[in-house]
Amino acid sequence: NTMDSETPLADRLADPSRPVFLLGEVPPGEGTPPGKVLEIATKFSNRSKALASDGFIVYDIQDEPGRSSDATPRPFPFRRLMDSSPYAALLARTSGKQCLVYKCVADEQFDEWITTAHTNHGISAINVVGRVSSEGTYQGPTISDAMARVNATPALKFGCVCIGERHTLEAAQARGKPYPTEHLNMMRKQSAGAEWFVSQAIYDIEPTIQLLKDYAALCRQHGKTPRKVILTFAPVSRTKTLNFIKWLGVKVPQDIEESILQHERPVDKSIDILCDHLRTILKECAGIGVPLGVNCESVSIYKAEIDGVHELFRRLQRILLDARGSPWKVVWVDSSLLTSTSKNENGPPRQALEDDRDNGNKKTVGTVNSASNSFHTVAPMMMGVVLGGALVGAGVMLGSSVSGGSRK
């Protein structure tokens, strides 16, 4: 399994043999001056260089009036945002990493958006999102029509969402179904061309575990290879954020909500809980054949929660990689030492730095000899994850002469 910085994000998402690690981002408000948009994208990119991510998710935020009622008002006022496609293109240019771009089908100019996103903004990975509710009036194609149109577009790959909360007996009965059917929705979308799935934020793990098991069983029944499922996690630290994710449809069990809000450091408690959730999912779903990835996001602009995303990302990445049972390491490469040409016969060996998984210290673990390998220039201190010798994510290409330091 050889993955390098030139592998498109869409191919990484679709490849069942490797995990994928993403960070979620929301575009700036509509009408934000271009200079300010660039500043926001650059700030996000610079902060994210400390993480070994494969790329970013850029969300398409809709008003979703169907969710609101007198009993469940929207916790935050809706703020119209700039289009996800041009912002994803800017983020890709500032970070050097590609983006998975969400697009809701509730858009009468859906076809034009697809063409512009690919042709003008270089987008090659799209997550097609259906209408939030069957109630109300929406413009644009149905989810089935939208998937068919994207699937017919050359050089575009797409995925869809999967929602554990829909895979419960209570949710099924509310829809007039005798049993949960989200696994059937996943199979239908897979048959339409979806090459991966991204969950919504997870706080109640039992429906997600059951969904993964039922989807795996359905794939075996039909002789299909399960698509990768990227599990989304979002740290929280205050009541207002918890109310917002619940308004979005995320179920937060009462005992978990209380344990977070009553803790001295709520965001740290939520991170601990989410790490335990991933461990449980991996344990319960071991051997079922569904490849997994991780996406971390902040659903607010609250600093403690934004900072918490980075800590959560590092810990979840470690948990998922450890669960694979093969050697891995995180490597920093200083691009000032690398060249974009193939050889430097008289130059000194290049040094690679590894993150010590036990105490977080950086240490030299091997050398990269430019006399026998070629390298691509990357951003300073950008990271990658090495799995059994093959680099994953982060945009760094290492030669085969990296020696020592592999974790056995």
Side-chain angles (χ1 to χ4, degrees):
N1 176 30
T2 302
M3 282 287 168
D4 58 49
S5 60
E6 293 186 342
T7 302
L9 178 59
D11 292 344
R12 301 183 188 200
L13 291 165
D15 183 357
S17 68
R18 67 183 298 276
V20 69
F21 300 97
L22 305 172
L23 283 171
E25 168 70 331
V26 173
E30 186 178 68
T32 302
K36 184 63 176 180
V37 173
L38 176 60
E39 179 184 330
I40 293 169
T42 301
K43 182 178 180 179
F44 179 84
S45 299
N46 289 340
R47 282 176 53 86
S48 301
K49 285 179 182 178
L51 302 174
S53 68
D54 288 280
F56 310 120
I57 290 179
V58 177
Y59 293 105
D60 179 20
I61 306 298
Q62 302 293 315
D63 188 7
E64 305 185 23
R67 291 192 188 275
S68 298
S69 66
D70 292 339
T72 56
R74 199 182 204 277
F76 297 111
F78 175 67
R79 184 170 61 102
R80 191 170 299 280
L81 305 180
M82 71 176 290
D83 185 73
S84 56
S85 174
Y87 184 67
L90 178 61
L91 203 57
R93 288 195 297 272
T94 59
S95 68
K97 297 183 180 183
Q98 296 179 346
C99 297
L100 168 59
V101 181
Y102 271 47
K103 180 58 183 175
C104 180
V105 301
D107 183 350
E108 62 180 339
Q109 298 181 327
F110 182 85
D111 290 354
E112 291 83 352
W113 186 94
I114 292 296
T115 300
T116 301
H118 177 60
T119 304
N120 294 359
H121 302 139
I123 305 302
S124 60
I126 294 173
N127 235 44
V128 180
V129 183
R131 300 176 177 89
V132 66
S133 172
S134 59
E135 301 177 1
T137 302
Y138 294 91
Q139 296 178 321
T142 64
I143 183 70
S144 296
D145 287 343
M147 290 189 295
R149 296 174 190 182
V150 177
N151 200 37
T153 304
L156 269 184
K157 292 184 177 182
F158 78 94
C160 293
V161 299
C162 61
I163 299 177
E165 281 80 356
R166 289 201 294 231
H167 201 68
T168 64
L169 185 59
E170 180 183 4
Q173 292 174 344
R175 293 169 176 257
K177 305 288 185 181
Y179 52 84
T181 58
E182 182 68 353
H183 63 309
L184 300 178
N185 291 334
M186 293 174 69
M187 179 59 72
R188 174 175 59 86
K189 293 171 181 178
Q190 178 174 337
S191 299
E195 299 199 45
W196 60 81
F197 294 96
V198 183
S199 81
Q200 72 174 11
I202 300 170
Y203 268 91
D204 184 15
I205 59 173
E206 293 305 322
T208 295
I209 290 171
Q210 192 59 53
L211 174 59
L212 292 173
K213 290 180 176 179
D214 288 345
Y215 172 57
L218 187 63
C219 286
R220 287 195 300 271
Q221 179 183 338
H222 290 274
K224 302 284 189 180
T225 300
R227 297 295 190 243
K228 184 181 296 172
V229 176
I230 295 103
L231 304 173
T232 297
F233 299 92
V236 296
S237 65
R238 54 184 183 151
T239 301
K240 194 169 186 179
T241 305
L242 274 166
N243 288 341
F244 183 54
I245 66 171
K246 288 190 290 184
W247 180 84
L248 289 171
V250 177
K251 181 181 178 182
V252 183
Q254 186 65 31
D255 61 328
I256 288 180
E257 180 174 348
E258 291 175 356
S259 67
I260 292 173
L261 296 179
Q262 293 173 6
H263 197 271
E264 182 180 359
R265 290 183 56 83
V267 70
D268 291 346
K269 183 62 176 179
S270 76
I271 290 172
D272 289 341
I273 289 171
L274 295 177
C275 288
D276 286 341
H277 280 0
L278 179 57
R279 292 187 188 98
T280 302
I281 291 171
L282 293 172
K283 179 181 178 181
E284 293 293 325
C285 298
I288 66 174
V290 178
L292 299 176
V294 164
N295 170 47
C296 292
E297 64 176 5
S298 173
V299 297
S300 80
I301 59 174
Y302 192 55
K303 185 178 186 302
E305 293 167 352
I306 294 174
D307 291 343
V309 167
H310 285 228
E311 175 64 18
L312 178 63
F313 181 96
R314 293 186 186 97
R315 290 177 60 180
L316 293 179
Q317 185 174 63
R318 176 176 296 185
I319 291 167
L320 181 54
L321 291 175
D322 280 346
R324 291 171 57 87
S326 59
W328 67 272
K329 60 185 176 182
V330 174
V331 176
W332 286 263
V333 177
D334 187 342
S335 66
S336 66
L337 300 177
L338 300 181
T339 67
S340 58
T341 56
S342 63
K343 293 187 178 182
N344 177 13
E345 300 292 347
N346 300 320
R350 303 339 189 191
Q351 288 192 325
L353 295 177
E354 182 193 26
D355 178 17
D356 187 323
R357 289 167 51 197
D358 296 324
N359 58 29
N361 294 327
K362 300 182 184 70
K363 62 181 181 181
T364 301
V365 297
T367 60
V368 183
N369 192 337
S370 63
S372 58
N373 294 279
S374 61
F375 302 92
H376 290 262
T377 301
V378 296
M381 303 309 290
M382 192 172 283
M383 299 197 307
V385 176
V386 178
L387 298 179
L391 184 70
V392 177
V396 182
M397 179 179 284
L398 295 180
S400 59
S401 62
V402 174
S403 60
S406 293
R407 298 304 180 98
K408 302 298 185 183

